[in-house]
Amino acid sequence: MGYLSCNAESAIATCDPYNWDRKILRRKKTDKITTTTSAAGANKPTKIREFNYDELVTATGSFSADAFLGKGSHGTVYRASLDDGRLIAAVKKTIQNKYNNSSTTTTAANCTAPADNEIEILSRIHHPRLVNLIGFCSDSNHRKLLVVEYMPNGSLYDLLHSGGDNNNAAPSSRLPGWSRRVRFALQVAKAVQALHSSNPPVIHRDIKSSNVLIDDKWSARLGDFGLALRGHVEDVRVKCTPPAGTLGYLDPGYLAPGDLSTKSDVFSFGILLLEIVSGRNAIDVNYSPPSIVDWAVPLIKRGDFTAICDDRVGCPSDPAVVRNLAVLAARCVRSTAHKRPEMGEVVEGLKCVYKRVQRLLIWNPLRRRVQRVPGPEELEVVAVDESEEAVNVNVNVNVSGGKKTVRMGSRRNSKVSSVSNAEDGGDSIGLVGERVIRSKSIGSFSEIKVKPAGVAVKMPVVRLNKSRSMGVLRSPRLVHCSKKGFVFEFGGEAGVKEKRKETVSGGLLIGLDKKSEEEMQEKPLVSI
Ligand SMILES: Nc1ncnc2c1ncn2[C@@H]1O[C@H](COP(=O)(O)OP(=O)(O)OP(=O)(O)O)[C@@H](O)[C@H]1O
């Protein structure tokens, strides 16, 4: 009944007897392209190509060491240059094992090779948060090769556990910060939600950091559908498939086929979330206890959130970020399946955390440079640049008798710009240092007319050069609307002046012109 395989990561795998439609693999060679209806991808047609083996041999330099990307428990993965270099893909070549005999299925054990299962499932679903199938191929031994989207930035496992004994370990400079960690978590949650909400649902059964790959836009994609099951839990094929997964991520309540539900994926996702927060492995003998659940949940219950933060990056300055992540993770790993949240709820929870963490990205650099500005709780991120670790934004710091223009942006790109200091003749604004780290600028600010100290200071309308990637601070208390756009102001008008007087010397003013405002409103608050 199935098989057990363990690699260094202690993976347990078993076969999938029922989730299988041979039609795709039996197709004649002439039928080169298949169009299927996407389950998760809003009925978007997905073209699945059938490649010639020689084509893949050429594309991978005869599966050369140069093209080698990595090795999993079921096979090796190579980078392939297809269509005269116009398509870069990853080719998964399965290990010759008991599945790779003349029949693709082992009927006695009701087993389907993971590669066949992956083709079967991925040919029916397509989603931007998944590592999607491009095509497949069979070699002369009936061994299946999968051609999937190429993910140039490795796996989440590599990013989180950099410096470890993994050969693919990333240098510590690639260690993701909190914004990126929350964003990865949200993207994976969306992938799982899409699988669970497809009809029939797909249960991945092997959610873990090494199956989360990072694409060229630094977005997380969920891959490896070798163990996935497509069907309703009451379907005989789901009910009769033996449990499978990876130790450390496996739902402890999933002991028999009938125990399987989407909540098993929720459990594995909870483990992944704890791994993202703590930076430690799901099972790690260097910790006591070695199981991440046994280690983290008591700390979370005690409210000791600092203790589970990855100390390589430190805790975010807003304690609610880690608290919310930790509590969400703890709910996902509850031992009783029905008490775990649905993935839709997890997605909503992570969206809120993501907004919080984006506020910090704007607030923290400001706090380092400007004294006496409102705290992050007074700022609301309206839109953010998701492709960068940090929000790119220009901020004018308005002071009595002068102005400072501060460009802020991604820490990651580490480009440095200086703080311009035009007509500086007034009070100190408490800039810390003279260099500000930024990536690309998104806009410039119009001139500020500075009124004498103690008088209301208004924000000028800001015209953004680009409307695509931007971060905007908004405070309900400070917003001022005009026909030209909305304006934020510190200091305020007469009635507010006294109360907010102290902020006049450290005003932070940001606004948008009408066109940018309309564009912003069309965009979701956080779109991932
Ligand atoms: N689409 C891809 N693009 C780029 N690299 C990939 C891709 N798929 C896999 N890899 C690389 O190949 C490695 C092996 O992947 P594979 O999916 O076979 O195994 P795994 O998920 O690491 O382990 P297991 O098989 O135990 O689940 C990955 O860790 C990753 O580094």
Side-chain angles (χ1 to χ4, degrees):
M1 293 294 290
Y3 73 97
L4 177 79
S5 75
C6 287
N7 62 6
E9 295 302 317
S10 306
I12 295 178
T14 188
C15 48
D16 173 9
Y18 300 107
N19 192 11
W20 173 241
D21 180 350
R22 292 175 188 79
K23 269 185 268 177
I24 290 168
L25 301 178
R26 280 212 212 108
R27 221 177 12 253
K28 289 177 187 161
K29 286 269 175 184
T30 49
D31 182 15
K32 285 277 182 193
I33 292 180
T34 304
T35 303
T36 61
T37 302
S38 143
N43 294 330
K44 189 178 159 203
T46 308
K47 290 177 181 174
I48 304 299
R49 293 168 64 177
E50 185 171 356
F51 290 92
N52 187 295
Y53 184 70
D54 294 338
E55 216 178 333
L56 295 188
V57 170
T58 309
T60 57
S62 304
F63 300 102
S64 66
D66 283 349
F68 177 80
L69 289 173
K71 193 171 178 353
S73 49
H74 302 299
T76 40
V77 185
Y78 297 87
R79 186 177 183 275
S81 175
L82 293 154
D83 299 344
D84 299 322
R86 291 189 305 277
L87 174 64
I88 305 297
V91 176
K92 292 177 88 173
K93 194 179 183 190
T94 48
I95 299 163
Q96 187 79 35
N97 60 19
K98 68 176 187 173
Y99 295 117
N100 303 125
N101 50 31
S102 56
S103 166
T104 52
T105 57
T106 310
T107 49
N110 282 332
C111 289
T112 300
D116 294 339
N117 189 56
E118 202 158 358
I119 295 168
E120 160 67 11
I121 299 216
L122 283 177
S123 61
R124 294 167 184 278
I125 55 172
H126 189 280
H127 192 273
R129 298 275 68 84
L130 301 178
V131 180
N132 294 294
L133 183 69
I134 296 170
F136 66 94
C137 160
S138 299
D139 68 7
S140 53
N141 295 322
H142 304 281
R143 194 165 46 166
K144 292 291 179 313
L145 289 90
L146 264 74
V147 182
V148 296
E149 291 173 326
Y150 173 61
M151 301 290 122
N153 288 306
S155 71
L156 182 56
Y157 180 91
D158 298 335
L159 286 184
L160 288 175
H161 306 290
S162 53
D165 46 10
N166 185 319
N167 289 336
N168 295 327
S172 53
S173 59
R174 294 213 313 168
L175 198 63
W178 285 103
S179 170
R180 187 158 282 165
R181 284 175 196 233
V182 177
R183 185 165 161 267
F184 287 156
L186 178 52
Q187 290 171 332
V188 179
K190 285 194 166 191
V192 183
Q193 184 194 22
L195 296 178
H196 291 181
S197 56
S198 66
N199 190 15
V202 173
I203 304 177
H204 188 279
R205 298 203 301 166
D206 204 15
I207 295 167
K208 57 178 177 177
S209 56
S210 66
N211 284 340
V212 175
L213 299 175
I214 312 299
D215 69 15
D216 55 342
K217 296 186 175 67
W218 281 88
S219 288
R221 312 268 206 114
L222 182 62
D224 200 343
F225 284 71
L227 297 179
L229 282 174
R230 183 169 170 269
H232 296 282
V233 284
E234 60 274 12
D235 289 354
V236 69
R237 58 168 64 177
V238 175
K239 273 169 94 175
C240 297
T241 303
T246 298
L247 278 184
Y249 296 86
L250 196 57
D251 174 6
Y254 179 29
L255 300 171
D259 299 325
L260 183 68
S261 74
T262 52
K263 296 295 179 76
S264 296
D265 277 352
V266 174
F267 180 91
S268 308
F269 181 82
I271 300 289
L272 178 70
L273 200 50
L274 290 175
E275 190 180 346
I276 288 172
V277 170
S278 66
R280 60 154 284 186
N281 279 294
I283 295 178
D284 190 339
V285 289
N286 296 316
Y287 286 79
S288 177
S291 150
I292 199 167
V293 178
D294 297 344
W295 169 79
V297 171
L299 292 169
I300 295 168
K301 282 184 177 166
R302 283 209 302 269
D304 191 356
F305 302 109
T306 316
I308 65 158
C309 274
D310 187 342
D311 51 18
R312 293 169 302 169
V313 288
C315 281
S317 55
D318 180 359
V321 170
V322 169
R323 185 180 64 229
N324 293 352
L325 288 174
V327 170
L328 192 59
R331 292 181 62 213
C332 291
V333 298
R334 276 178 174 157
S335 50
T336 313
H338 74 263
K339 288 186 179 169
R340 297 171 199 153
E342 299 285 349
M343 280 315 292
E345 197 186 326
V346 174
V347 167
E348 291 311 311
L350 287 171
K351 277 183 184 173
C352 294
V353 182
Y354 188 60
K355 275 189 261 177
R356 278 200 100 93
V357 90
Q358 289 297 339
R359 269 179 232 165
L360 293 179
L361 284 175
I362 297 168
W363 163 246
N364 283 346
L366 275 176
R367 193 172 51 180
R368 283 196 293 272
R369 291 165 186 81
V370 183
Q371 286 175 346
R372 293 186 300 187
V373 296
E377 66 283 352
E378 293 181 67
L379 308 173
E380 181 186 345
V381 177
V382 177
V384 293
D385 177 357
E386 296 167 9
S387 62
E388 295 292 339
E389 176 76 5
V391 173
N392 295 311
V393 63
N394 279 3
V395 174
N396 267 6
V397 180
N398 205 15
V399 297
S400 318
K403 72 172 185 204
K404 303 268 183 183
T405 302
V406 179
R407 282 185 175 180
M408 298 188 305
S410 168
R411 210 164 240 282
R412 213 185 136 256
N413 290 0
S414 297
K415 291 180 190 163
V416 175
S417 69
S418 60
V419 176
S420 76
N421 186 2
E423 300 164 14
D424 189 3
D427 302 341
S428 162
I429 60 162
L431 289 175
V432 180
E434 292 184 333
R435 284 147 66 94
V436 183
I437 297 167
R438 70 175 183 94
S439 60
K440 58 191 176 204
S441 163
I442 56 149
S444 59
F445 287 72
S446 60
E447 287 296 301
I448 297 176
K449 289 197 175 78
V450 180
K451 297 183 181 180
V455 178
V457 179
K458 276 197 178 178
M459 172 62 192
V461 172
V462 177
R463 299 183 190 285
L464 295 170
N465 293 337
K466 295 176 189 170
S467 60
R468 188 178 58 85
S469 302
M470 61 186 93
V472 177
L473 309 180
R474 189 169 69 194
S475 166
R477 281 199 268 159
L478 304 176
V479 71
H480 163 80
C481 294
S482 77
K483 281 189 178 172
K484 287 182 181 172
F486 57 86
V487 171
F488 304 100
E489 59 186 40
F490 287 178
E493 301 293 351
V496 192
K497 193 172 66 184
E498 285 308 305
K499 209 164 61 175
R500 311 254 333 140
K501 199 172 176 180
E502 77 281 5
T503 66
V504 171
S505 63
L508 159 69
L509 311 169
I510 300 178
L512 294 173
D513 64 13
K514 183 89 178 160
K515 188 165 173 286
S516 301
E517 183 188 353
E518 282 164 4
E519 283 171 359
M520 296 276 289
Q521 281 168 355
E522 280 166 18
K523 291 186 174 186
L525 212 55
V526 176
S527 93
I528 289 187

